[in-house]
Amino acid sequence: MTLTQKRLIILLIIVIVAIVSGRLAVRGFMNFLVGGTMFGGNFL
C-alpha cells in the first residue's frame, strides 16, 4: 500500500466521521430549539 493510498483512506475516514458528527450536532441543536430530548423519551 502506497503513501497516497494511506492518505486517501485516512481522509475518507475523517470525512465520514465529520459528516456523522455534523448531523448529530445539527440534530441536537434543533432539538434544543424545540425543547425536545436528544434520543427520544422523557428523562424528567
Side-chain angles (χ1 to χ4, degrees), residues 22-37:
R23 286 180 54 95
L24 196 61
V26 169
R27 181 175 170 190
F29 182 67
M30 293 300 287
N31 262 325
F32 176 72
L33 283 182
V34 298
T37 58

Side-chain angles (χ1 to χ4, degrees), residues 7-42:
R7 284 183 179 174
L8 201 61
I9 290 172
I10 291 171
L11 188 64
L12 192 64
I13 291 171
I14 291 173
V15 166
I16 290 172
V17 169
I19 289 171
V20 170
S21 63
R23 286 180 54 95
L24 196 61
V26 169
R27 181 175 170 190
F29 182 67
M30 293 300 287
N31 262 325
F32 176 72
L33 283 182
V34 298
T37 58
M38 188 68 172
F39 301 106
N42 191 0

